[in-house]
């Protein structure tokens, strides 16, 4: 029996050394120390031994049981430690997960750039509602009752009195009504027109309006401001011109053109904004003394201006949200 005990112990120890996880450790425990395990079986044999042999083997068997149990416990806590640290392990050398960061929409970028050019000149930003009344969109801006812009074809009327603003000029009125001169602000925002959708026009676009009201404001100052903007936005070498025009809310009025020279094509003048001296009627409509104050205003389309700068030839691409277009900017 002695040799069998020794053999069993060696066998147990060599199998234990091979064990690498808790599952096979438990299988090993059952094999040797479980109810039908081979070490437990030795104890059954021991019971059958003649009385005088018992003390001799009892000691050896107990030693075997204790030493295997101890080795088992040791191994178990070792494996427990190992599995726990494996669970917590973070491999810092693994490559990270790539996320697709979006970009600012080209219209937002353009507006940001426009705003920063005017902010340097002391303009603040003022905003008004997209749903407007006929009064703010037309009447206060000196539009005669029969003006074609009031036509159902251009304007999205919500009901008899309310509409989606067709330009940002009504924000001028709100500003003049709410704040006292001196005023110096730009007013960016969405505008809506009930037009046939094409490469050139869309039912929705953005405008940037500007208004300055103070004593002694002159057309020369308007020109200087517009020229500064045009050069900052398109570059020092841009060719531009002021052309006499008409708007109900400004007198005199002008339109600003820039020279557009696409590669390999014939160049031409392209209109980018309207401007003029605020009509005294408009100042009076807002409770501003037109004897004491003068003002100038300008308004430009953001989509169109960006189309010139970046050579975009279809206004609809701004609103398609096609990633291939958006990621170019
Ligand atoms: N509101 C005009 C439009 O939508 C643009 C404009 C022209 C705005 C002259 C102005 C201005 O402030 O002075 O076509």
């Amino acid at each position: 029996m002695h040799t069998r005990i020794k053999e069993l112990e060696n066998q147990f120890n060599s199998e234990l050394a091979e064990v690498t996880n808790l599952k096979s450790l438990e299988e090993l425990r059952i094999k040797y120390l479980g109810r039908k395990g081979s070490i437990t079986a030795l104890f059954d044999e021991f019971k059958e031994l003649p009385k005088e042999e018992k003390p001799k083997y009892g000691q050896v068997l107990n030693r075997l049981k204790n030493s295997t149990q101890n080795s088992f416990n040791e191994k178990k806590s070792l494996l427990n430690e190992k599995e726990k640290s494996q669970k917590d392990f973070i491999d810092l050398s693994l490559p990270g997960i790539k996320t697709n960061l979006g970009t600012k929409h080209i219209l937002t970028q353009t507006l940001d750039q426009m705003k920063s050019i005017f902010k340097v000149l002391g303009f603040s930003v003022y905003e008004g509602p997209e749903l407007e009344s006929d009064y703010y969109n037309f009447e206060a801006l000196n539009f005669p009752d029969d003006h074609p812009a009031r036509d159902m074809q251009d304007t999205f009327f919500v009901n008899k009195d309310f509409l989606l603003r067709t330009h940002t000029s009504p924000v001028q009125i709100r500003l003049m009504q709410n704040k006292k001169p001196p005023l110096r602000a730009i007013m960016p925002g969405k505008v809506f027109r009930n037009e046939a959708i094409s490469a050139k026009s869309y039912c929705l676009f953005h405008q940037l309006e500007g208004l300055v009201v103070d004593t002694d404001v002159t057309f020369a100052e308007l020109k200087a401001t517009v020229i500064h903007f045009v050069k900052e936005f398109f570059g020092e070498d841009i060719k531009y011109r002021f052309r006499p025009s008409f708007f109900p809310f400004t007198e005199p009025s002008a339109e600003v053109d820039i020279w557009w020279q696409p590669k390999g094509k014939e160049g031409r003048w392209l209109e980018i904004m309207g401007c003029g001296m605020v009509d005294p009627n408009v100042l009076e409509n807002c409770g501003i003394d037109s004897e004491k104050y003068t003002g100038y205003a300008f308004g430009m389309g953001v989509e169109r201006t960006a189309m010139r700068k970046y050579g975009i030839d279809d206004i609809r691409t701004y609103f398609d949200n096609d990633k291939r277009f958006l990621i170019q900017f």
Side-chain angles (χ1 to χ4, degrees), residues 219 222 242-256 273-279 297:
F219 196 89
L222 164 61
F242 284 76
R243 185 168 38 78
S245 185
F246 172 80
F247 299 101
F249 39 93
T250 45
E251 182 58 34
S253 307
E255 276 175 295
V256 182
M273 72 167 93
C275 60
M277 300 305 290
V278 181
D279 192 300

Side-chain angles (χ1 to χ4, degrees), residues 167 169 172 193 207 209-210 247 249-250 274-276 297-299:
H167 52 176
S169 301
Q172 288 185 26
R193 297 218 186 143
Q207 282 189 339
E209 192 83 13
F247 299 101
F249 39 93
T250 45
C275 60
F298 55 86

Side-chain angles (χ1 to χ4, degrees), residues 6 10 51 57 71 74 99 119 124 145 154 156 168 182 204 225 230 257 292 327-328:
K6 196 74 214 147
N10 287 342
K51 218 175 173 185
Y57 287 109
S71 309
E74 243 169 62
T99 50
K119 273 186 187 166
S124 50
D145 261 349
D154 283 322
F156 285 113
T168 42
L204 151 81
T225 305
V230 168
D257 300 335
K292 187 172 167 201
I327 58 170
Q328 289 178 56

Side-chain angles (χ1 to χ4, degrees), residues 302-314:
V302 180
E303 280 78 356
R304 267 221 246 163
T305 313
M307 281 165 89
R308 312 280 136 93
K309 180 165 175 169
Y310 300 107
I312 298 163
D313 53 15
D314 191 328

Side-chain angles (χ1 to χ4, degrees), residues 174-208:
R174 292 182 175 275
L175 176 61
M176 286 190 272
Q177 284 180 349
N178 290 331
K179 298 219 156 91
K180 289 200 161 58
L183 301 171
R184 180 175 283 265
I186 46 167
M187 294 146 270
K190 291 191 182 75
V191 302
F192 307 85
R193 297 218 186 143
N194 193 1
E195 283 177 288
I197 291 170
S198 71
K200 286 210 172 82
S201 54
Y202 200 67
C203 50
L204 151 81
F205 57 99
H206 297 75
Q207 282 189 339
L208 185 95

